[in-house]
Amino acid sequence: MNILVLGTVHQSGIKYLLNKSYKVYEFEDQNLNYKENLGIYDGLIVKMNKIDSEFLKQAKNLKVIARHGVGYNNIDISAINEKKIPLFITGDVNSTSVAEHTLGLILDITKKISLYDRNVRKNNFVIRNSFKSRDLENKKILICGFGRIGKKVSQFCKAFSMNISIYDKYLDFSKNPTEFNVVDNLEGSLSEFDFISIHIPFNNSEKALIDKNFLNNLKDTCSIINTSRGDLVNESDMLIHLQNNKNFYYGTDVFNPEPPLENSELFKLDNIVMTPHSAAYTSECVDKMSLYSAINIDNFFNKKIDSSLLINKEIYN
């Protein structure tokens, strides 16, 4: 069996497949040479490359796709369903890494770590007298999306004695009670929060959650943290809001597009903290994502499907 790997992955998964006698073809991020022989591949491990009907027309022998992670908005589900190609994700291997990264962005923004670092390097030691940093204790945070990552973020915030509220339109909290305050209507409550952390999926039929209307309902000193998807934020509206509200902060690990444009106006601002979609890229997490992606491929060909990791279950009905 020939397996195509699109994007740089940890060698744990590659070694697993090689030991199982698969032939593995790796292509680094942004390397488009993979398009030359798409017809030879039986399986695919994919990170961020777009998988659509055009891709599938050339990948005529493709039988299974393993997503290197849990999000799959880069994959056209209708197109793979039409071809009867199952899509597997890695499951809960990255929630701790992303939750920790989220807290890191919150701490950086609150304690002004990146800002202070830049100034100390410029011999501006007296910036300490600007008293810009704040404490997290008793600050109000709204966690949008209460899945695995959102739950872990809430526990980290609880350890810092923050006041935690949660919003998740897909959960029935009468059946799944929680110790935290539940927000039913976003629009009516945005102005009370010091932090808003985004942990919801995005599908291509949705519009951005955070636009100028959303932003204009926030308090001036609010901070938004996004470790979910860049599509959830209207970056044009976000840029204008950052430019006009110097006490508002945005901490983001994701962009639209990715990577951000080289001349992005976001780079000129001090009230934004950016990381390169790396929340799940700890050494421990990338090891597990690569290995579990490989296991999903091997399980499929050995008829050991883990249905809990299968996205398009309907193709088996």
Side-chain angles (χ1 to χ4, degrees):
M1 296 286 186
N2 297 318
I3 309 301
L4 172 63
V5 180
L6 291 181
T8 305
V9 304
H10 193 279
Q11 286 299 299
S12 59
I14 306 301
K15 290 178 181 177
Y16 180 90
L17 290 173
L18 292 175
N19 287 337
K20 296 279 187 175
S21 299
Y22 293 93
K23 293 182 179 179
V24 181
Y25 300 81
E26 301 176 73
F27 289 86
E28 296 180 353
D29 301 291
Q30 314 304 322
N31 185 343
L32 300 181
N33 291 332
Y34 72 86
K35 295 183 178 181
E36 295 177 0
N37 295 297
L38 276 178
I40 71 169
Y41 301 114
D42 303 284
L44 167 66
I45 293 176
V46 61
K47 291 175 71 177
M48 298 307 297
N49 290 72
K50 186 176 181 179
I51 307 301
D52 55 15
S53 57
E54 290 301 313
F55 180 99
L56 297 174
K57 282 180 183 178
Q58 298 179 61
K60 296 179 179 179
N61 201 41
L62 191 64
K63 301 175 182 66
V64 60
I65 299 174
R67 172 71 173 90
H68 185 271
V70 294
Y72 49 90
N73 59 306
N74 59 313
I75 299 172
D76 187 331
I77 299 299
S78 297
I80 66 172
N81 282 352
E82 186 176 335
K83 298 290 186 180
K84 303 292 184 183
I85 299 173
L87 168 64
F88 294 91
I89 59 174
T90 53
D92 187 20
V93 299
N94 68 355
S95 60
T96 295
S97 302
V98 176
E100 288 181 357
H101 195 93
T102 299
L103 189 67
L105 288 171
I106 292 173
L107 285 167
D108 191 300
I109 287 171
T110 308
K111 299 303 182 181
K112 301 294 181 282
I113 295 170
S114 294
L115 176 65
Y116 285 170
D117 175 79
R118 292 194 298 271
N119 278 271
V120 171
R121 292 172 188 270
K122 298 175 183 177
N123 295 317
N124 182 20
F125 203 77
V126 295
I127 194 173
R128 68 196 289 265
N129 296 329
S130 64
F131 308 122
K132 289 181 177 292
S133 64
R134 297 178 294 159
D135 291 330
L136 290 179
E137 187 176 21
N138 295 324
K139 295 297 187 298
K140 294 183 178 181
I141 183 169
L142 174 63
I143 297 172
C144 292
F146 204 55
R148 296 185 182 99
I149 297 171
K151 286 184 173 70
K152 289 191 177 181
V153 170
S154 70
Q155 294 303 317
F156 292 158
C157 292
K158 181 180 178 181
F160 280 85
S161 300
M162 298 182 75
N163 187 324
I164 302 162
S165 296
I166 56 178
Y167 169 78
D168 195 316
K169 65 180 181 180
Y170 298 107
L171 289 181
D172 182 352
F173 288 101
S174 65
K175 297 180 180 178
N176 300 280
T178 174
E179 62 184 299
F180 305 119
N181 178 52
V182 175
V183 172
D184 295 318
N185 185 350
L186 275 183
E187 293 183 4
S189 60
L190 290 175
S191 61
E192 67 182 85
F193 296 107
D194 301 293
F195 298 91
I196 297 175
S197 191
I198 310 300
H199 305 285
I200 59 179
F202 180 86
N203 66 55
N204 295 323
S205 65
E206 295 176 347
K207 68 172 187 175
L209 169 69
I210 300 173
D211 55 15
K212 63 181 178 180
N213 293 325
F214 185 103
L215 293 165
N216 288 337
N217 280 311
L218 303 177
K219 66 184 339 184
D220 292 342
T221 57
C222 184
S223 298
I224 289 180
I225 312 297
N226 185 9
T227 54
S228 185
R229 285 290 180 267
D231 312 72
L232 292 167
V233 175
N234 183 314
E235 282 197 359
S236 297
D237 291 348
M238 176 63 76
L239 174 63
I240 293 171
H241 196 76
L242 285 164
Q243 291 171 331
N244 295 336
N245 299 272
K246 299 302 182 183
N247 291 321
F248 168 82
Y249 273 77
Y250 182 40
T252 186
D253 186 50
V254 289
F255 303 86
N256 184 21
E258 287 192 356
L261 301 176
E262 290 184 13
N263 59 349
S264 174
E265 291 294 314
L266 293 173
F267 299 160
K268 301 176 182 179
L269 303 176
D270 283 333
N271 52 337
I272 181 170
V273 178
M274 298 172 282
T275 53
H277 204 153
S278 58
Y281 277 37
T282 64
S283 58
E284 297 88 350
C285 188
V286 295
D287 184 336
K288 289 186 287 187
M289 283 196 294
S290 176
L291 179 59
Y292 291 8
S293 296
I295 290 173
N296 279 335
I297 293 286
D298 185 56
N299 281 348
F300 170 79
F301 285 117
N302 286 285
K303 304 187 186 311
K304 299 178 182 178
I305 289 176
D306 184 345
S307 60
S308 69
L309 302 178
L310 176 63
I311 295 301
N312 48 345
K313 296 179 176 62
E314 61 270 24
I315 69 171
Y316 285 101
N317 292 337

